[in-house]
Amino acid sequence: MRYKQSMQIITFIAIISLVGILGWLTMTNEDPCANPQADITGSVLADEEGDQDALINRAIILKGNCKEP
């Protein structure tokens, strides 16, 4: 009985830790204006035509929002 209860606690802690680690890894404070050419290049290299058009439009809009130095 104690073994089952301790395994449940360990499993709970492991899941909470995993969620916390994944949340920390996916947080980004990256500046979208740091490398606008990368967004355009990535969108041009997209596999599907519908996705490619949408990504190119998004990259152009993001680049337009960035202030030129």
Side-chain angles (χ1 to χ4, degrees), residues 17-53:
S17 299
L18 183 62
V19 169
I21 290 170
L22 290 175
W24 177 70
L25 288 174
T26 57
M27 286 189 325
T28 177
N29 292 330
E30 187 176 310
D31 182 16
C33 296
N35 190 7
Q37 190 61 37
D39 287 339
I40 294 172
T41 303
S43 61
V44 170
L45 295 175
D47 287 339
E48 296 183 25
E49 189 65 33
D51 290 341
Q52 186 180 33
D53 292 339

